[in-house]
Every structure is written in C-alpha cells, then in structure tokens.
Amino acid sequence: MLEAPQRRQARFITFEGGEGVGKSTQVKRLISALARHSVEAVRTREPGGTPRAEAIRSFILQGRSEAWGTGAEAVLFAAARLDHVNALIAPNLAKGTWVVSDRFSDSTRAYQGLTGGVNDRLIDALEHLALDGHTPDLTIVLDMDPVVAFRRVEQRAVEDGLQLTGDRFEKEEIEWHQRLRQGFLDIARNNADRCVVISADQGEDELEAAIWDAVRTRFPELQA
Ligand code: Z5A
C-alpha cells in the first residue's frame, strides 16, 4: 500500500533588528525563496498582522499611547501580539503553512525592556501570555550600524517624495539606537539555539543568500 506523502512541519520564522536594516525587504525575499521550494508561507508583521492588531499599531505609532508610559505600551504591543498569535500565526501553523513575521516578541524585549527600562518580570509575563507556546523556530537578527541604517531610511523617504519628519521612534537619539542594537545582540546571545545574527551591511542579494543559508541550515528538510 502506498504511504501518504508526509507533510512538512510548518515553521515560524521571525526577523528582528533596528529600523532600516532591511527586514521588510528580506521577509519578502524569503517568502519568494520558500515558494520556489514549494513551501507555502504567509508574510506578516508586528505590531499588526490582523485587523485588530493593526488598529493597535496605528494607535501606538501615531504617538497616542506615549503619555501612558513605556510599561503600558509594552502591554499594548502584547495585546496586539495575542490577537496576532490567536487569529493568524497559530491557525496557519496548524494547517501546515509557514509564517514569516517582520518583528515579533524580541522587539518588545529590546525596545520597551532593554532600551525602554520596563522590568524583566513584566516583559517575561507578557511574553508568556501572548505567545502561549508559539516561540519562533528561527529568529534572524539583522545587525548593522544604526547610522548607516538611518541613511537608508532617509534615502527611502527621498525616493518616496516624503519629508523626513520621522515617527516618534525614529526621532530618538542615535545613542539610544546603539543601545537598541546591543539589546538585540544580547537577546540573540541569550537565545543562541533560536537566533542567528547576520550582518545587514551588505547588498540585498548577498544578504538574501546569507539568510537562505541560515534557514536551510536550521531546517534541513528544505535541502531535500
Ligand atoms: N516596536 C516596539 O517598540 N515594540 C514591539 O514590540 C514591536 C515594535 C513589535 C514598527 O515600525 C515600530 O514599532 C518600530 C519598533 C516598534 N520602531 N520604529 N520606528 P515599522 O514596522 O514601521 O518599521 P521598522 O520595523 O523599523 O522597519 P523599517 O524602518 O521599515 O525598516 P526595515 O523593514 O528594517 O527595512 P526595509 O524597509 O526593508 O529597508 C529600508 C530601506 O533600505 C528601503 O529603502 C530599502 O529599499 C533599503 N534597503 C533594504 N535592504 C538594503 C540593503 N541590503 N542595502 C541597501 N539598501 C537596502
């Protein structure tokens, strides 16, 4: 009797890092690379990914939560994440579709926790509640000097014909972004079984190849 073909286990991959390091660009490229290997994957982002989480995204990124303080903002990011996990991430993984997210819970730890001063107990508790066991299988941390990354963001604004006023995160001082960079590196070091740090200071094609290498190393089933 013929055996039914084995369905590959769906994987959950996240991209993390500071602004302008190329996360969105590489998330799209990874989705295409997976498709070329017959892997169905959904692209999503945080904050956001579902209508309710996108509503929280607009509220926060417009600066409307700023007066509430960083702790309350961490709770809002986690509320968005809870919906994102329940309504998009978990159902897709359950039906065998891979999920690739532009930012996830490490961003709360890096921005609100390690850089924003929210204590570990709150960050740990929020992570536990919002993830409910859905820890990423692989996290790609894109790392580069924030000054160089800012130039990319400026260039993008010029190309889009926008005035670079920046949202409230992008107005923060460069020193703050250096600490943020170190925060992501610390998270990667403390979660070495899950995270891979890749230099983002290379061309888009070279970076895509380095990411694909990391993905194929982590998931050998892709080499079949
Ligand atoms: N946040 C938080 O505080 N807590 C949380 O829990 C979560 C988020 C989940 C979301 O912003 C904000 O929310 C973010 C953290 C905070 N803070 N800020 N600001 P967002 O989603 O709007 O923005 P972002 O995540 O910071 O992404 P970004 O600025 O759009 O950058 P990116 O996605 O990393 O880069 P990109 O869009 O792919 O590329 C940027 C430009 O560089 C673009 O013009 C590209 O064409 C160019 N590019 C890309 N790759 C290259 C290479 N390799 N070489 C040269 N140029 C390149």
Side-chain angles (χ1 to χ4, degrees), residues 15-27 29 140-153 181 184-185 196-211:
F15 279 71
E16 298 281 5
E19 286 107 81
V21 296
K23 297 179 298 301
S24 310
T25 305
Q26 294 300 329
V27 165
R29 283 175 171 243
I140 308 277
V141 177
L142 295 185
D143 176 65
M144 71 187 288
D145 181 348
V147 175
V148 180
F150 267 142
R151 285 200 206 108
R152 289 185 183 173
V153 173
R181 177 189 191 184
F184 278 115
L185 292 175
V196 175
V197 178
I198 298 180
S199 169
D201 200 359
Q202 48 185 329
E204 289 183 22
D205 292 345
E206 290 78 8
L207 185 51
E208 178 185 344
I211 291 168

Side-chain angles (χ1 to χ4, degrees), residues 19-20 22-25 57 77 81 103 108 112 156 202:
E19 286 107 81
K23 297 179 298 301
S24 310
T25 305
R57 176 190 177 93
F77 280 114
R81 182 161 306 124
R103 297 192 180 280
T108 303
Q112 283 67 51
R156 178 177 61 188
Q202 48 185 329

Side-chain angles (χ1 to χ4, degrees), residues 5-215:
Q6 290 232 318
R7 197 170 67 173
R8 278 190 191 134
Q9 184 191 343
R11 305 292 190 172
F12 178 28
I13 302 174
T14 58
F15 279 71
E16 298 281 5
E19 286 107 81
V21 296
K23 297 179 298 301
S24 310
T25 305
Q26 294 300 329
V27 165
K28 285 183 209 143
R29 283 175 171 243
L30 178 57
I31 294 278
S32 303
L34 288 169
R36 287 195 294 276
H37 286 75
S38 308
V39 173
E40 193 189 336
V42 292
R43 172 163 67 96
T44 187
R45 69 172 182 180
E46 286 217 350
T50 64
R52 288 177 291 262
E54 290 289 333
I56 296 177
R57 176 190 177 93
S58 305
F59 185 77
I60 299 173
L61 295 189
Q62 285 166 11
R64 292 164 68 194
S65 58
E66 200 169 352
W68 299 8
T70 316
E73 285 190 324
V75 175
L76 282 175
F77 280 114
R81 182 161 306 124
L82 185 63
D83 191 66
H84 190 206
V85 169
N86 287 337
L88 188 143
I89 295 170
N92 273 293
L93 293 173
K95 71 174 190 204
T97 303
W98 291 40
V99 177
V100 183
S101 186
D102 186 343
R103 297 192 180 280
F104 192 59
S105 55
D106 293 323
S107 282
T108 303
R109 191 170 292 280
Y111 279 85
Q112 283 67 51
L114 297 172
T115 318
V118 176
N119 69 63
D120 282 351
R121 272 188 312 135
L122 180 57
I123 299 290
D124 289 346
L126 292 173
E127 197 170 293
H128 182 69
L129 287 170
L131 268 59
D132 194 22
H134 291 91
T135 304
D137 297 300
L138 171 65
T139 296
I140 308 277
V141 177
L142 295 185
D143 176 65
M144 71 187 288
D145 181 348
V147 175
V148 180
F150 267 142
R151 285 200 206 108
R152 289 185 183 173
V153 173
E154 277 176 355
Q155 181 61 31
R156 178 177 61 188
V158 169
E159 282 164 11
D160 292 348
L162 300 172
Q163 263 207 317
L164 193 75
T165 50
D167 62 32
R168 51 172 292 247
F169 289 98
E170 286 166 342
K171 284 183 199 152
E172 304 283 355
E173 296 299 324
I174 207 73
E175 194 187 302
W176 190 93
H177 286 274
Q178 300 284 13
R179 280 192 284 128
L180 180 72
R181 177 189 191 184
Q182 190 56 51
F184 278 115
L185 292 175
D186 291 345
I187 290 169
R189 199 190 54 240
N190 294 333
N191 298 272
D193 52 336
R194 170 172 66 85
C195 298
V196 175
V197 178
I198 298 180
S199 169
D201 200 359
Q202 48 185 329
E204 289 183 22
D205 292 345
E206 290 78 8
L207 185 51
E208 178 185 344
I211 291 168
W212 184 244
D213 256 10
V215 171

